[in-house]
Amino acid sequence: MIASDVPATPQPAAAIPPTMRALRKQTAAPGFTLERVAVPTVGPNDVLIEVRTVGLCGTDLHIYEWDRWAQRRVKPPTTIGHEFMGVVAAVGNAVKAVAVGDRVSAEGHIACGVCSLCRTGQAHICEHVEIIGVDTDGAFADYIRMPEGNVWKLDPSIPDAWAAVFDPLGNAVHTVMAADVSVKSVVITGVGSIGLMAIPVARAAGAAKVFAVDVNPQKLALASRVGADATFLATQPDLVDEIISRTGGDGADVLLEMSGSGSAINNGLAMVRNGGVAALLGIPSDEVEINLAERLIFKGLKVLGINGRRMFETWYQTQALVTSGRVDLTPIITHEMPFERYDEAFTLMKSGEAAKIVLTL
Amino acid sequence: MIASDVPATPQPAAAIPPTMRALRKQTAAPGFTLERVAVPTVGPNDVLIEVRTVGLCGTDLHIYEWDRWAQRRVKPPTTIGHEFMGVVAAVGNAVKAVAVGDRVSAEGHIACGVCSLCRTGQAHICEHVEIIGVDTDGAFADYIRMPEGNVWKLDPSIPDAWAAVFDPLGNAVHTVMAADVSVKSVVITGVGSIGLMAIPVARAAGAAKVFAVDVNPQKLALASRVGADATFLATQPDLVDEIISRTGGDGADVLLEMSGSGSAINNGLAMVRNGGVAALLGIPSDEVEINLAERLIFKGLKVLGINGRRMFETWYQTQALVTSGRVDLTPIITHEMPFERYDEAFTLMKSGEAAKIVLTL
Amino acid sequence: MIASDVPATPQPAAAIPPTMRALRKQTAAPGFTLERVAVPTVGPNDVLIEVRTVGLCGTDLHIYEWDRWAQRRVKPPTTIGHEFMGVVAAVGNAVKAVAVGDRVSAEGHIACGVCSLCRTGQAHICEHVEIIGVDTDGAFADYIRMPEGNVWKLDPSIPDAWAAVFDPLGNAVHTVMAADVSVKSVVITGVGSIGLMAIPVARAAGAAKVFAVDVNPQKLALASRVGADATFLATQPDLVDEIISRTGGDGADVLLEMSGSGSAINNGLAMVRNGGVAALLGIPSDEVEINLAERLIFKGLKVLGINGRRMFETWYQTQALVTSGRVDLTPIITHEMPFERYDEAFTLMKSGEAAKIVLTL
Amino acid sequence: MIASDVPATPQPAAAIPPTMRALRKQTAAPGFTLERVAVPTVGPNDVLIEVRTVGLCGTDLHIYEWDRWAQRRVKPPTTIGHEFMGVVAAVGNAVKAVAVGDRVSAEGHIACGVCSLCRTGQAHICEHVEIIGVDTDGAFADYIRMPEGNVWKLDPSIPDAWAAVFDPLGNAVHTVMAADVSVKSVVITGVGSIGLMAIPVARAAGAAKVFAVDVNPQKLALASRVGADATFLATQPDLVDEIISRTGGDGADVLLEMSGSGSAINNGLAMVRNGGVAALLGIPSDEVEINLAERLIFKGLKVLGINGRRMFETWYQTQALVTSGRVDLTPIITHEMPFERYDEAFTLMKSGEAAKIVLTL
């Protein structure tokens, strides 16, 4: 179907108010403020989504706390948030496959669509990407505007809270699928919410064994609950030897690095067998010193940098994992709270007691 | 960049007349007629291209002759032609990266953009594809409308005649790259214009040896001229043994099947070594009987069906091959004629004396 | 370690009698005879294995019945059988890593070791392969001689009956892993013993959905028991449409063809989505007519011929699947009988009532 | 063929003297000494090769100079050298496919043959590997013993000097083929002898563009002579930007890192486009600090550690590249000298004036 075949008149929209609530970084300082701002307008290829449930991410906390990374990257005033789901409230006049009333989530990386990466199925690493809630107005608001191409229609069997966290779940799925875990032994270093999600995902994707490593015993307990075959404190002195011994003396086939810690990366690489794969998703805050000769070159390792989610291969895989009943997020979404209690939610998140928190609007 | 950022007003267009010449299949009968029809209008995401040079394809000849395939597929009245290049004359108001005056070719498979294949980088096998000049109005006309997403901006170093045949050249590139010929021995069965193009493409892509097989000695002479290491008549009685003997007794690493002939397919599979690859681009007109046990299963073969061109990985590869000077189409574009002499061109094409014919408007 | 470092004297062997029982095809006629023959001697790189448990394969039944294939391939007199496990009784003086007393199974395809396929990790498609029990003396005997390189040391947790069928289980694993089923929908056509094994293997390897198709309702009932998400009679008139509808309208991601039936192959290809994968393991007895254009080329399919088991990647995967507890063969090994009752076993096998039968020596 | 079928008596051997010349590291100190030692004996699976031509490698120079690496790794007294070719003088009694008189080179990594890597086609990263001339007696001698499985029979068209350097040429081929350069832009950092070899190899394997970077202008001049499209001093201040600009603004598709320099690695990663590949062959002498977030993770890079040569896929590819005439080593083998002038050769090598030096025995 070509674009000129689409109806020239906009589709009937739900009643949309002129203003809405939005959680905003108003000034270059810690904290957020809940304000009223204008509801976004939509262009011909855009969709307006009424947000229902949102997820809290570590990135949001960085912006909340206004750390060095946030100070460099975020330009206040801006609306925060990139994990969300909702219902379509209006569509632009060239929109083809999304309709008012559709229950949706969306890919928060808005790729340019015209660069060589976008045109070759690699939009997840578009050099001109803008991330909602970081570079442009985000999802912690009553409405958000998204390009049609970013919208993901939800299977009715998927609960709102799960749909709201398809973004981090997609990070986990992307990492697992890039590494190819089928009938392999897998070590996950770092079981924050994405690392936790990676456990049932790796098992469903065919991992023969899943080992989890973290500094936090509570997170390790949760890791066991969601399917890790064994868990280890990152501080255990003989950890590398233990993993090697538990994998027939060869080392693990696959490392999924989700902590961003330099020592986890170095230890993780040491745990992988010759010819194995290491997929790096965790973002180190500084440069990392690596013995490339011993850790990577002589071993013939393959190291993969992982960013975002493949558009939209990862989304189809995420949907298949969830709708087939093979991945259960219930134990990982530890808290569901009303939107207004966002301050309490961020405090809880900072305490390390929560895994994944969602807010309902 | 998101769509709402694009200028609301259309860009200044070149003077576009209300009507144009178009080569049409007017009725369900052999032949074409050159007529005047309205210039197409453009939707928000469309581009109007003033056509300069077009290529003649076997598909056009099928439609000209109105054979069984054409009778089933094509719905007159319609404008013919899918190989072309030209200059952008107008753009829709949501077009982002194409401007009036751009010198362009375009992908002639118009994919739906919203199915799972389109959303996972596999638009070349979209189930809802429409092909210009077959399913919708084509390029043998002064103007053609294309979705922006199908347009390919041309490097200035590429001659018009070469740009006009990026579609079949892309078929050759897609087949060669899917089969992966780097440092491998390659047999090409069928050296019509795409098979001929596949010879320099395979060499440039790293093939260690390229053998060409055809029933037509003239085509084989041309195959030698464009780089085949050796050529063979398809009727040579001991052909399979000869290819096996010339590949160290193992058989060729790769078969590129570009004839669609059942016997070429069977012989071709027999020429491939155990564990080798066969990429099938040629379209058999009937069912083909294959000894799957001997030809495919015991040998551990990988057989790839090839359709169209990858959007737009193949286009980037085609551009790299041509602009690096490693592929030369000069000997393959045997005839360049004015648009009005289309009848003579189809007669010439049918005679088998031409390789690739282009027409200038 | 290099060969000259191995001890010059043979290792102490268990008491080995001069003669042994062997189930033999004595003459070019139906049936087998149980005879006494000399125990094989071993060369410097060989291992002598005392056989404990063997598995019955369709190939053995072909030889028993002396059908056309068997008449062409098998040269009596010869000992039959290729699925087995046992204990090492003696080793040649250049054997490096196998010792008397080791509990082992073995790869029954004896590859030449020196051709280009053997030297590039593709010994499973060696052109000079000899199969035990078909081309050379087999495993239905008290002892069998194997090259050290073919021997597989067994994890102690694996029951004898399971170890005896690592050959067909390996066929299933090879097919599943070649097709890559992780987070994909899978159709298996033909659920004889290998097709049945492929069900839990595909699930453990990460398949999101497994559908089984067969002509035999009993086999389909067993398919459900071992984990098929849904089963279908091959004769169901709208089967292709049903599979397509149950896979979101696209078709299955993967076909595992294990019947060798021409109509199963054609229907199976029709059930696969554009861009999908079909792995063919079943051996058709005749040529198969295929509409390559519609079934394979336009769809951009990848078709894989599967032969034997990868040496020894498949064996490591098989071991991982079994020792991790993710694959359970109990429901599939339906009968365990003493060696002497081989005639009864073949009759039972022919009746179609058994899935996999093993005999103990 | 199974081992017991081989003739029990050794094949007739050429007259082999009891002692031979050997270039040895006699004590833990700089320099080598040319001595007379016993000719090695062969085990059942071994081959004795009369050495004709040898190549000098940087590793030999490290041992000559007795640097820190050599002090840790090498145990005097031992014979040096791992790049060589010669003629088979004797074979063990279980040798199958190599005969006295065969003209051969050999893989110098002696893998254990029994570990999981060796049994899955990854012997090049066997954890128990022993390297000739480093861990065991090497090739700078009149005779060397090799396991049959390591021997490579030479095509008669290959000159002795080229055959002698199949080891480093194989490093180049392994790196190029692992990275997959077909129709891609390639940057090579470090054009010592392996980096130089990688240039014609990458071109023959289908690279669309090859850029060479080094600190030595003489090496860059040679790089141009063997086919680099452009060369750059590593000290050029805007080098990263220049490479990006010469690759359409995206960066190179592939980095082949052959210097082992930390700054080359960091700059090299910066030159690669998002989604590109970096193959690391050069061995850094120390840990390297890397900004993993910017250089690898956000970019979605694939980084490959490369070690040795694939046994024997790389050898077949090397042979195909050389016998097809697509790779010419003539300009790279800058010096051919008699064995006795080894001291002069190492001095020349150290001066940086030579690319590859071979010695004839």
Side-chain angles (χ1 to χ4, degrees), chain C residues 274-300:
Chain C
N274 284 12
V277 174
L280 309 185
L281 180 77
I283 307 294
S285 50
D286 289 303
E287 304 221 326
V288 178
E289 269 203 351
I290 304 182
N291 184 331
L292 291 175
E294 294 297 331
R295 290 282 180 272
L296 203 151
I297 298 173
F298 292 138
K299 292 176 77 165

Side-chain angles (χ1 to χ4, degrees), chain B residues 177 180-183 201-209 250 316-318 320-321 324 326, chain D residues 177 180-183 201-209 250 316-318 320-321 324 326:
Chain B
M177 297 309 291
D180 181 11
V181 302
S182 184
V183 192
V201 168
R203 287 204 58 144
K209 277 185 198 172
D250 290 328
Y316 283 97
Q317 292 163 338
T318 303
L321 286 163
S324 66
R326 304 200 66 170
Chain D
M177 297 308 290
D180 182 10
V181 302
S182 184
V183 192
V201 167
R203 287 202 58 141
K209 276 184 198 171
D250 290 329
Y316 284 98
Q317 291 163 338
T318 303
L321 286 164
S324 66
R326 304 201 64 171

Side-chain angles (χ1 to χ4, degrees), chain A:
Chain A
M1 191 200 309
I2 59 169
S4 58
D5 296 340
V6 301
T9 53
Q11 303 200 21
I16 301 167
T19 65
M20 64 178 189
R21 296 175 296 169
L23 196 59
R24 308 262 292 174
K25 172 63 77 178
Q26 194 57 32
T27 57
F32 292 144
T33 53
L34 190 56
E35 302 173 33
R36 286 210 80 83
V37 297
V39 169
T41 56
V42 296
N45 294 305
D46 291 337
V47 166
L48 187 72
I49 302 164
E50 187 180 349
V51 179
R52 269 204 199 158
T53 306
V54 298
L56 262 54
C57 173
T59 299
D60 303 322
L61 186 58
H62 289 305
I63 302 174
Y64 184 88
E65 301 192 318
W66 203 233
D67 69 7
R68 224 163 33 140
W69 169 84
Q71 291 172 34
R72 277 198 312 259
R73 175 75 177 258
V74 178
K75 311 269 171 278
T78 189
T79 301
I80 303 309
H82 55 275
E83 305 179 1
F84 78 100
M85 60 75 59
V87 173
V88 174
V91 299
N93 65 358
V95 165
K96 292 196 274 184
V98 175
V100 169
D102 283 348
R103 193 167 155 270
V104 301
S105 181
E107 168 59 50
H109 285 209
I110 301 179
C112 77
V114 298
C115 72
S116 63
L117 293 156
C118 284
R119 294 192 94 184
T120 56
Q122 302 175 85
H124 63 295
I125 43 174
C126 167
E127 291 201 39
H128 313 294
V129 72
E130 297 198 315
I131 304 180
I132 60 168
V134 176
D135 305 308
T136 70
D137 279 338
F140 291 178
D142 287 316
Y143 292 91
I144 183 169
R145 175 185 59 210
M146 296 297 294
E148 177 188 15
N150 279 57
V151 172
W152 183 259
K153 292 199 263 189
L154 291 163
D155 186 277
S157 69
I158 302 170
D160 280 10
W162 295 25
V165 298
F166 261 37
D167 172 299
L169 179 57
N171 288 130
V173 171
H174 182 191
T175 312
V176 165
M177 297 307 290
D180 181 11
V181 303
S182 184
V183 191
K184 292 189 177 154
S185 54
V186 176
V187 173
I188 301 174
T189 48
V191 286
S193 55
I194 297 178
L196 284 170
M197 289 170 177
I199 295 168
V201 168
R203 287 203 58 142
K209 276 184 198 171
V210 179
F211 300 132
V213 178
D214 203 297
V215 292
N216 181 336
Q218 279 174 280
K219 293 281 167 68
L220 291 178
L222 196 41
S224 290
R225 233 179 104 202
V226 296
D229 291 285
T231 66
F232 306 90
L233 274 171
T235 51
Q236 178 179 327
D238 61 346
L239 179 56
V240 171
D241 290 343
E242 168 131 16
I243 296 287
I244 289 173
S245 130
R246 281 175 179 248
T247 49
D250 290 327
D253 296 313
V254 171
L255 169 70
L256 308 179
E257 210 302 301
M258 297 184 157
S259 74
S261 144
S263 66
I265 292 168
N266 272 290
N267 276 340
L269 293 175
M271 292 170 196
V272 178
R273 70 164 174 80
N274 284 11
V277 174
L280 310 186
L281 179 77
I283 307 294
S285 49
D286 289 304
E287 305 222 325
V288 177
E289 269 203 351
I290 304 182
N291 184 332
L292 291 174
E294 294 297 332
R295 290 281 179 275
L296 204 151
I297 298 173
F298 293 138
K299 292 176 76 165
L301 242 57
K302 179 162 76 174
V303 178
L304 303 171
I306 308 291
N307 188 32
R309 296 143 298 279
R310 294 191 71 90
M311 303 172 201
F312 278 85
E313 193 179 359
T314 303
W315 289 79
Y316 284 98
Q317 291 163 338
T318 303
Q319 173 181 270
L321 287 163
V322 168
T323 59
S324 66
R326 304 201 65 171
V327 166
D328 178 10
L329 297 182
T330 312
I332 297 171
I333 301 175
T334 50
H335 298 77
E336 188 161 349
M337 304 164 67
F339 186 48
E340 287 77 11
R341 287 168 57 194
Y342 64 91
D343 254 327
E344 184 185 340
F346 280 106
T347 305
L348 184 63
M349 193 179 168
K350 212 177 152 178
S351 76
E353 279 164 46
K356 177 56 78 179
I357 304 170
V358 298
L359 306 179
T360 49
L361 279 91

Side-chain angles (χ1 to χ4, degrees), chain D residues 6-223:
Chain D
V6 300
T9 53
Q11 302 199 19
I16 300 168
T19 66
M20 65 178 188
R21 295 173 296 169
L23 195 59
R24 309 260 292 173
K25 174 62 80 180
Q26 194 58 31
T27 56
F32 292 144
T33 51
L34 189 58
E35 303 173 33
R36 286 209 80 83
V37 297
V39 169
T41 55
V42 298
N45 294 304
D46 291 337
V47 166
L48 186 72
I49 301 164
E50 187 181 349
V51 179
R52 268 205 201 157
T53 306
V54 299
L56 261 55
C57 173
T59 298
D60 303 321
L61 186 59
H62 289 305
I63 302 174
Y64 184 88
E65 301 193 317
W66 204 234
D67 69 5
R68 224 161 38 138
W69 170 84
Q71 292 173 35
R72 277 198 313 259
R73 177 73 177 261
V74 179
K75 310 268 171 278
T78 188
T79 300
I80 302 309
H82 55 276
E83 304 179 1
F84 78 101
M85 60 77 57
V87 172
V88 174
V91 300
N93 66 357
V95 165
K96 291 195 275 182
V98 175
V100 169
D102 284 348
R103 192 166 155 270
V104 300
S105 181
E107 169 59 50
H109 285 209
I110 300 179
C112 76
V114 298
C115 73
S116 63
L117 292 157
C118 284
R119 294 192 94 184
T120 55
Q122 302 174 84
H124 63 295
I125 44 175
C126 167
E127 290 201 40
H128 312 295
V129 73
E130 296 198 317
I131 304 180
I132 60 168
V134 175
D135 304 311
T136 70
D137 280 336
F140 291 176
D142 288 315
Y143 292 92
I144 183 169
R145 175 184 62 209
M146 296 296 295
E148 177 188 16
N150 280 56
V151 172
W152 182 259
K153 292 199 263 187
L154 291 164
D155 186 276
S157 69
I158 301 171
D160 280 11
W162 295 25
V165 298
F166 260 37
D167 172 299
L169 178 58
N171 289 129
V173 172
H174 182 191
T175 312
V176 165
M177 297 308 290
D180 182 10
V181 302
S182 184
V183 192
K184 291 188 178 155
S185 53
V186 176
V187 173
I188 301 175
T189 47
V191 286
S193 56
I194 297 178
L196 284 171
M197 289 170 177
I199 295 169
V201 167
R203 287 202 58 141
K209 276 184 198 171
V210 179
F211 300 133
V213 178
D214 203 297
V215 293
N216 180 336
Q218 279 173 278
K219 292 282 167 67
L220 291 179
L222 197 41

